[in-house]
Amino acid sequence: MAATRLELNLMRLLSRCEALAAERRDPEEWRLEKYVAALEDMLRELKKQSSKPAPELLNEYSRKVDFLKGLLEAEKLSSSTEKALANQFLAPGRTPTTAKERTPATKTVHLQTKARCTGQMRSELLGTVCPCKSPFLPLCSCRGLTSDEKQSAVELDAVLQHHQDMQEKLAEEMLSLARSLKNNTLAAQNVIKQDNQTLSHSLRMADQNFEKLKDESDRLEQHAKKSVNWLLWIMLIVVCFIFISMILFIRIFPKLK
């Protein structure tokens, strides 16, 4: 189905917001926040339309808008530790917004933001501030640091990388468990569906057998009634025959004197 005008505008504004989020912004920058608010309104209007996109695409739009909104909220936090923790819970988009992107822009923004928060947190822990103000350069490349501080920076990087690897491994295990749970649920659903079909078939067969048994019972009852009637008539005929025979016998053979 072709994209509507509202969906095209949403995609253009979303791509613009992703580009703004990837840039280094001044604290007084207000455009991204206004754009994200406009994205939320457009997304609500898109969900209300009759010719709305597929549910998977709507979920992807919602995921990206929620990511940008959470990114703005994380930037408002005062501590770099809180910012790093808030960024850990952000979920970027899974698919590119435009055809020109090879990887989702929100994923790139997420990695940049994590690197920026890690650099700020490392600077706070070591009590130094990088003169170049760049979160993407290693701290040991800045001037004025001793060898001990450089060693501490390297050790801190190793610890942070270890924790990040553990979190990624844990996320993969959770995804694997979720897939396994989904497969088990689908298998149980299929088994229950088959059992329900077997039970329905058994109930239908039981109803049919009951109807047949009822018909046979009625026929047997009618047959029994007919048999009783014929037997009664035969007995009456036999009794009458014996009675007449006795009378004739008495008439033919009189009493001896």
Side-chain angles (χ1 to χ4, degrees):
M1 184 175 63
T4 60
R5 186 181 186 86
L6 180 60
E7 185 180 357
L8 292 175
N9 293 335
L10 175 67
M11 292 172 62
R12 294 192 187 99
L13 186 57
L14 183 58
S15 179
R16 178 58 179 163
C17 290
E18 292 172 349
L20 285 176
E23 299 174 356
R24 290 186 59 84
R25 302 182 306 279
D26 296 330
E28 293 81 10
E29 178 64 45
W30 54 270
R31 290 182 299 171
L32 183 58
E33 188 172 357
K34 296 295 183 181
Y35 288 170
V36 172
L39 279 176
E40 291 181 331
D41 295 337
M42 294 171 70
L43 185 59
R44 281 194 294 268
E45 292 295 329
L46 186 62
K47 291 180 179 180
K48 293 179 182 178
Q49 286 187 347
S50 58
S51 59
K52 57 185 178 182
E56 295 81 5
L57 195 56
L58 280 177
N59 292 335
E60 184 66 18
Y61 290 153
S62 301
R63 187 184 181 91
K64 292 179 179 180
V65 173
D66 292 340
F67 170 78
L68 293 173
K69 185 178 178 182
L71 186 65
L72 290 174
E73 293 176 354
E75 290 180 352
K76 295 178 182 179
L77 299 175
S78 57
S79 173
S80 60
T81 306
E82 294 177 351
K83 291 180 181 179
L85 184 61
N87 276 281
Q88 289 291 335
F89 293 100
L90 294 179
R94 297 189 180 94
T95 59
T97 305
T98 60
K100 298 180 181 179
E101 299 177 4
R102 293 187 177 180
T103 58
T106 50
K107 188 174 183 180
T108 305
V109 173
H110 192 211
L111 294 175
Q112 292 177 352
T113 307
K114 287 172 65 176
R116 186 183 301 118
C117 294
T118 302
Q120 293 176 358
M121 185 169 60
R122 183 172 54 191
S123 300
E124 290 181 2
L125 289 175
L126 294 177
T128 57
V129 179
C130 183
C132 61
K133 301 294 183 181
S134 175
F136 306 106
L137 294 177
L139 186 63
C140 57
S141 63
C142 300
R143 299 177 181 177
L145 296 182
T146 63
S147 59
D148 294 338
E149 291 175 341
K150 293 179 181 179
Q151 183 66 26
S152 299
V154 172
E155 293 177 356
L156 180 60
D157 285 339
V159 172
L160 292 175
Q161 185 65 35
H162 176 67
H163 283 290
Q164 184 175 357
D165 293 341
M166 290 181 62
Q167 290 177 355
E168 291 178 355
K169 184 178 179 181
L170 182 61
E172 291 177 357
E173 291 179 355
M174 292 178 65
L175 287 175
S176 178
L177 290 174
R179 293 192 191 98
S180 178
L181 180 61
K182 181 180 179 181
N183 294 332
N184 293 336
T185 303
L186 291 176
Q189 185 178 1
N190 292 332
V191 171
I192 293 173
K193 186 177 181 180
Q194 292 177 358
D195 291 343
N196 288 335
Q197 291 177 353
T198 304
L199 182 59
S200 300
H201 180 69
S202 300
L203 290 175
R204 287 195 299 268
M205 293 296 295
D207 292 338
Q208 292 176 2
N209 292 335
F210 178 76
E211 293 295 333
K212 290 181 180 179
L213 182 61
K214 185 177 179 182
D215 294 339
E216 294 296 330
S217 299
D218 294 338
R219 291 176 57 188
L220 182 61
E221 184 178 358
Q222 293 177 1
H223 184 68
K225 289 181 179 179
K226 290 180 180 179
S227 300
V228 171
N229 291 335
W230 280 107
L231 184 61
L232 181 61
W233 281 107
I234 292 172
M235 291 178 65
L236 287 174
I237 293 172
V238 170
V239 171
C240 293
F241 178 76
I242 293 172
F243 180 74
I244 295 172
S245 299
M246 289 298 297
I247 293 175
L248 292 175
F249 182 78
I250 293 171
R251 291 291 184 183
I252 295 172
F253 301 98
K255 185 187 299 185
L256 295 175
K257 294 180 180 180

